[in-house]
Structures are given as C-alpha cells and as structure tokens.
C-alpha cells in the first residue's frame, strides 16, 4: 500500500467561509500564494455560492484572478448549481466540487434542497464539467452525524457516495461536518462506502470539533484511504452546521502522518508560516467591533 498520503488544503475555502470578519481579498490571496509554495497538489480557494447564503465567499472570482498560480497545483471551487459552475469556469478554476449530504436535515439547511433534488441539480453541472474537461469532486456531508437529524446510517452515505461516483466525480470526499465521528463510526461508515467506491477514490474530510479527527484519520488509513482534507491553522466550519468547528489542522495532520512513516510532500516551514498568517487574520477579527 502506498506510503504517500495527500493532504488537500481547504483553508482558503472551508476555513475562510466561516470567519465572522469579512477577510479582505488581498489577505486571502496572500494566504493562497503562501500555501502554493508548500507542495500541495490541490487547494480549494473559492466557492461560487449565493452571496446571500455565504457572504464570506462573495469575492471568489477576485481571489482566483489575483493569485499567482503555481505549476502543478490545481485550484478548486465549490459549485452548487449551473450558475456556480459558470462562475467557476469564468474564473478559470482548475477543478470544481459539488456538495451533497447524507442527511436530509443538513441538505435542506445548507443548499435548500432534499437529497434527491440536490442530486438532480448536480447532474447538469457534472455533464457541463465533463464537456469542459474539468475534474469534478463530490462531497458527502454528515457522514456519521447530522446537527439536525442525529446519527447518519452508513448505508445512506454509501448510497449518496455511489450516486456521485457513478455520475462521474473523480473522488468522493466524506465529510464529518460537525466533527462527532469516532474511529468506530468512521470505520462502519467507510466499510459501507467501500463496498461501492474503491478506497483510492475516497478522501476523508474531518472537522475536529471533538478533537478526534487525527484518530479518525488513522482509522481511515487502516482501510486504505490516502487523501485527507485539512485546513491550515485549523480554520473553518460550515455556517449551516451549528457546532461545526474547524477542519483538522493541516500542520497537525502532516506531522502525524510523518510520524506514522508516510510521505506528504509538504514543506513544514511553509505550513508554519501559513498557520501564522491565519492566526494574524483571526487576531485582527477579534479587534473588530
Ligand atoms: P436558494 O435560495 O434555494 O436558490 O439557494 P435560488 O435559486 O432561489 O437563489 C437564491 C438567490 O441566490 C438568488 O438571488 C440567486 O440568483 C442567487 P436573488 O434573486 O435572490 O437576488 N444564486 C446565486 N448567486 C451566486 N452564485 C450562485 C447562485 N445560485 C443562486 N451559484 C443555493 C440555493 C444552493 C444557491 C444556496 O443554498 C447556497 O448558495 N448554498 C451554499 C451554502 C454553502 O456554501 N455552504 C458551505 C459549503 S458546504 C460545506 O462547507 C461542507 C463541506 O466542507 C463538507 C463537510 O464539511 O461536510 C463541503
Ligand atoms: Mg467542511
């Protein structure tokens, strides 16, 4: 089994979408430019969603226009519908992501659609992306627990993951949106998903609300998962998931993976620098009235 584990950096999107302070576009661009030198292959930097729903991401086109793109790095954007897809294409995102849920309560709260409606809405986005030659990633949220519906049945996660995979998503990222998963619930969920989607097409996206993201990553490594989403400085959360704290911190995942003998290809010094930029952004916010 491969000793390389990829960390997909989420800070500029999943991280900054939840900051109370409207972070200036120039600060977002500086963070992405720093992260671009760390060795990531993929960084999620933008989200073409309704600015009424997530005002923090309203400057996504400006961020994509302003960054210095590094060779070999793909800059990703969330696209909930065709309007978002068109925005992402115009801004020259290198890949897009559609985001669904394994629980009805979160689906309704986050994208104002039932699970079935959301899958219908994603279909033309995937088709248009295929036609444009853009890779599409698929998220499934609330893979163990939902803030509205409680525990999520593993079979429901498997069903949504299979649907997104069969539709053409190149990778399925499984979100423990509110960080309530345990190694036992994560393992049960992955065992169900792995019956229909191979481990090399799966990523773990674990928020660290309960401090268990790292042990959940270890449980996932045991089942062959080799891609994990993380946000530098532990930034993040989802505005529509009460209690969702940050993504697991990139620097913590990187350091744990290296202790376990995996390669990540990431430069620790750059991660430290990016984490300190994030701390400064947050400290600035605390001074706001
Ligand atoms: P809606 O209100 O049902 O849709 O929202 P609508 O079609 O009625 O549109 C409402 C307004 O938004 C309209 O504007 C549209 O034009 C506009 P108005 O006419 O009122 O002025 N609109 C848009 N504007 C810009 N870009 C667009 C767009 N689409 C419509 N693409 C919608 C449905 C999906 C748009 C809304 O619910 C939405 O934007 N939701 C996004 C919520 C979100 O971004 N959540 C965070 C990301 S998910 C996450 O963090 C989880 C993840 O990290 C994994 C995990 O942790 O589990 C991925
Ligand atoms: Mg998330």
């Amino acid at each position: 089994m491969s000793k390389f584990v990829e960390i997909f950096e989420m800070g500029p999107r999943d991280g900054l979408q939840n900051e109370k302070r409207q972070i200036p576009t120039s600060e977002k661009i500086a963070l992405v430019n720093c992260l671009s030198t760390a060795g990531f292959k993929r960084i999620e930097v933008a989200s073409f969603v309704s600015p009424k729903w997530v005002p923090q991401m309203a400057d996504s086109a400006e961020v994509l226009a302003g960054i210095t793109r590094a060779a070999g790095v793909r800059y990703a954007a969330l696209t909930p519908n065709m309007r978002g897809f068109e925005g992402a294409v115009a801004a020259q995102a290198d890949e897009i992501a559609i985001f669904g849920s394994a629980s009805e309560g979160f689906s309704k709260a986050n994208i104002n659609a039932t699970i079935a409606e959301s899958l219908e809405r994603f279909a033309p986005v995937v088709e248009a992306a295929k036609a444009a030659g853009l890779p599409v990633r698929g998220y499934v949220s609330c893979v163990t627990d939902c803030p509205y519906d409680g525990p999520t049945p593993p079979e429901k996660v498997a069903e949504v993951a299979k649907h997104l995979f069969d539709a053409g998503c190149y990778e399925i990222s499984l979100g423990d949106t509110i960080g309530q998963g345990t190694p036992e619930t994560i393992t049960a969920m992955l065992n169900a998903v792995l019956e229909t989607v191979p481990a090399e097409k799966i990523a773990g996206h674990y928020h660290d609300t309960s401090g268990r993201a790292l042990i959940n990553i270890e449980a996932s490594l045991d089942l062959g998962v080799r891609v994990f989403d993380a946000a530098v400085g532990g930034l993040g959360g989802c505005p529509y998931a009460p209690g969702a704290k940050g993504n697991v911190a990139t620097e913590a995942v990187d350091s744990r993976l290296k202790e376990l003998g995996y390669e990540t290809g990431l430069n620790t010094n750059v991660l430290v620098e990016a984490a300190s930029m994030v701390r400064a952004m947050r400290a600035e916010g605390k001074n706001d009235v």
Side-chain angles (χ1 to χ4, degrees):
M1 187 90 38
S2 162
K3 286 307 264 184
F4 182 80
V5 173
E6 184 184 349
I7 300 179
F8 192 147
E9 175 58 38
M10 292 283 131
R13 195 282 303 172
D14 205 350
L16 298 184
Q17 76 178 10
N18 206 40
E19 287 297 298
K20 287 205 174 59
R21 176 172 79 107
Q22 183 64 45
I23 309 283
T25 309
S26 59
E27 287 184 35
K28 296 182 178 181
I29 291 171
L31 177 64
V32 176
N33 285 347
C34 177
L35 290 166
S36 292
T37 65
F40 295 107
K41 295 178 181 170
R42 296 179 282 172
I43 306 176
E44 203 159 80
V45 298
S47 184
F48 291 90
V49 299
S50 163
K52 288 186 182 150
W53 284 65
V54 185
Q56 292 91 334
M57 291 284 109
D59 59 352
S60 284
E62 288 81 3
V63 171
L64 273 161
I67 57 174
T68 304
R69 295 180 189 230
V73 182
R74 294 213 312 243
Y75 297 91
L78 292 192
T79 57
N81 51 21
M82 279 307 290
R83 170 135 178 222
F85 173 75
E86 281 149 19
V89 170
Q92 296 183 322
D94 297 309
E95 67 171 76
I96 60 155
I98 50 178
F99 49 105
S101 170
S103 73
E104 292 290 355
F106 183 72
S107 185
K108 200 75 192 154
N110 193 44
I111 50 174
N112 199 22
T114 63
I115 297 172
E117 284 164 353
S118 75
L119 297 176
E120 263 174 48
R121 198 186 277 169
F122 296 148
V125 177
V126 177
E127 287 315 310
K130 277 184 200 161
L134 277 186
V136 186
R137 198 174 195 234
Y139 284 99
V140 185
S141 283
C142 298
V143 295
T144 61
D145 300 86
C146 170
Y148 305 101
D149 301 350
T152 306
E155 302 69 39
K156 191 66 196 174
V157 185
E159 183 190 317
V160 178
K162 178 175 167 29
H163 184 102
L164 295 177
F165 188 60
D166 289 349
C169 292
Y170 78 90
E171 184 173 270
I172 306 298
S173 178
L174 300 168
D176 178 5
T177 316
I178 54 169
Q180 295 302 311
T182 63
E184 291 73 27
T185 57
I186 289 281
T187 299
M189 178 278 294
L190 280 174
N191 278 330
V193 173
L194 290 172
E195 282 184 26
T196 51
V197 183
E200 59 274 18
K201 301 292 180 188
I202 294 291
H205 175 111
Y206 305 146
H207 287 256
D208 203 23
T209 318
S210 308
R212 288 191 293 267
L214 286 179
I215 52 170
N216 290 339
I217 286 176
E218 287 188 42
S220 312
L221 285 166
D222 289 345
L223 293 176
V225 178
R226 290 292 179 270
V227 178
F228 296 96
D229 299 351
V232 73
L235 266 175
C238 174
Y240 295 99
K245 287 227 179 96
N247 287 83
V248 62
T250 306
E251 57 278 21
V253 180
D254 181 61
S255 134
R256 185 71 190 123
L257 287 170
K258 285 171 178 163
E259 276 166 19
L260 293 169
Y262 292 98
E263 289 161 29
T264 64
L266 297 178
N267 180 323
T268 309
N269 293 338
V270 179
L271 296 185
V272 168
E273 189 189 336
S276 104
M277 289 174 89
V278 162
R279 268 195 303 280
M281 277 181 187
R282 289 187 143 171
E284 185 82 23
K286 290 210 178 84
N287 297 331
D288 287 358
V289 186

